[in-house]
Amino acid sequence: MDIKNIETGMDGAALIAQPGLSPASGGLAAGVVMCLMSMSSIQFGAALSSSAIATYGVAGATWLRLAFAAVILAVVVRPSVLRYTSAQWRATLLLGTTTAAMTLCFFAAIQRLPLGLAIAIDFLGPLSVAVFGYGLTWRLTWPLIAAAGILFLAHDGEGWVGNLPGVLFALGSAVGWAVYILLTKKVGAAFKGLEGLSMSLLVAGLVATPFGLAETAGAFTLKGLVEVLGLAILVPLLPYALEMVALRRMPAASFGILMSLEPAIGALAGFLILAQPMTVLQMLGTALVVAASAGATASAVKT
C-alpha cells in the first residue's frame, strides 16, 4: 500500500494524491488551515445531523444528504455519462454502493454511540488499510494501540457507553471506509478530475433511495429539506473541495498525519454540539487513537 497514493478524509472520504504535484511555495500554512476546516466541517456536520435524523430517520437523512450532494456535484462537474466504458461503470457502481452502505452505517452508529467513540471505531478502517498493506510486521501494534483507546472511550467511569448495535454499525462503517479507500484509488485512476467522485455519488444516492423513501414515507418539509441541503454541503462537498486544494499545497505525508486529528475533533464536536462530556480516561483513549493513526502514517512514510 503506497500511502503517497491514498489520502483519507472523513466520513469516509478518500482522496487520491496527485503524484508529481509538488506543494505550492508558501502554501503549507494555507493547506493546514484547509485540512482543519475540512475535519471540522465533517465532524460538526455529523454532530449537527441529529435533528435531520430525528425528522427523517437514519436512512432518510442519509439518502437526502447523498442525493443533494450528488446533484450539486453533477451540476458542477457535468460527467459524460454516455461516454463511459463498462469498466468505468463497474468501478463507480462498486464505489457508489460502498459509499451508500458506509454512510448508512456511520449515521446509524452516531445515533447509538457518542460521536467520539463512533469516529474512533470508524477510524479502524483506514488505519487497517495503512497497516495491513505492509503485511504482518511490527506496524500491527498501531491497531492494538487504537483498540486500547477505543476501550477507554467506551467506558465513562460508571459503565460501558452505547450499545452493541451501535458498535456493530460503527464496525460496518469502518469496513466500508477501508473498502472505499481501495476502490477510490481505482476510480481515481479511471476518471479525470472529479468525474469518478460525481458518478459514485450519483450511484450512492440511487442505492440509498429505496431505504430513504421507505423511512421518510414522503414526509418532507421545506425547513427539513433546507437543513439537509446545508448538511450535504458540510459533508461531503466542502471537505472534498478543501482536501483536494490542501493536497496541492502540502506534502502527502503531512496531510495524512494532520488528518489523524479527526477523532479528537469528533470528540470536541460531540461535546460542544451534543453535550457529550468525556472523562479523563476517555480523553486518554482519544489521544491513543490519534497517536496510533499518526504513528501508522509516519512509519509508512519512512518505509
Side-chain angles (χ1 to χ4, degrees):
M1 184 68 59
D2 187 352
I3 198 163
K4 294 182 180 179
N5 288 336
I6 300 178
E7 301 296 343
T8 57
M10 171 302 280
D11 116 343
L15 299 176
I16 303 300
Q18 301 185 26
L21 192 62
S22 59
S25 177
L28 179 60
V32 170
V33 171
M34 289 177 189
C35 281
L36 292 173
M37 290 174 62
S38 170
M39 289 185 286
S40 298
S41 177
I42 290 167
Q43 300 307 326
F44 281 87
L48 291 168
S49 298
S50 56
S51 176
I53 291 175
T55 303
Y56 297 116
V58 170
T62 300
W63 164 56
L64 289 172
R65 181 196 295 263
L66 289 172
F68 277 130
V71 170
I72 293 172
L73 192 58
V75 170
V76 174
V77 175
R78 297 181 182 179
S80 305
V81 178
L82 299 179
R83 287 192 257 176
Y84 295 140
T85 65
S86 58
Q88 288 175 310
W89 273 107
R90 284 195 298 271
T92 54
L93 286 171
L94 285 173
L95 180 57
T97 301
T98 300
T99 300
M102 174 184 66
T103 309
L104 285 166
C105 284
F106 175 72
F107 285 105
I110 65 173
Q111 186 185 35
R112 295 166 171 83
L113 301 175
L115 184 59
L117 175 58
I119 295 295
I121 296 174
D122 198 30
F123 233 67
L124 290 176
L127 180 59
S128 297
V129 171
V131 170
F132 287 101
Y134 290 93
L136 299 177
T137 68
W138 63 270
R139 291 182 180 83
L140 291 176
T141 56
W142 295 122
L144 295 178
I145 292 174
I150 289 170
L151 285 177
F152 290 166
L153 274 165
H155 202 281
D156 63 1
E158 297 181 359
W160 299 103
V161 300
N163 51 49
L164 180 59
V167 172
L168 292 177
F169 277 122
L171 288 173
S173 179
V175 172
W177 195 353
V179 176
Y180 180 95
I181 292 171
L182 301 176
L183 291 176
T184 299
K185 183 176 181 180
K186 294 182 179 180
V187 171
F191 292 86
K192 62 180 181 180
L194 293 177
E195 289 189 21
L197 173 61
S198 178
M199 289 299 299
S200 67
L201 277 177
L202 287 170
V203 172
L206 290 174
V207 170
T209 296
F211 304 98
L213 282 177
E215 190 156 19
T216 60
F220 304 121
T221 64
L222 179 59
K223 179 182 178 181
L225 291 175
V226 170
E227 180 183 3
V228 177
L229 174 60
L231 292 172
I233 294 173
L234 276 177
V235 185
L237 289 181
L238 182 58
Y240 285 158
L242 288 170
E243 289 172 1
M244 288 295 288
V245 177
L247 278 168
R248 291 176 170 86
R249 294 173 176 266
M250 63 193 305
S254 300
F255 177 89
I257 293 173
L258 189 61
M259 295 302 284
S260 301
L261 291 172
E262 198 151 7
I265 295 177
L268 177 62
F271 174 73
L272 294 177
I273 304 297
L274 302 175
Q276 296 174 344
M278 298 185 73
T279 64
V280 174
L281 189 64
Q282 288 174 320
M283 292 180 186
L284 175 60
T286 301
L288 287 175
V289 174
V290 170
S293 178
T297 302
S299 63
V301 170
K302 293 177 182 178
T303 302

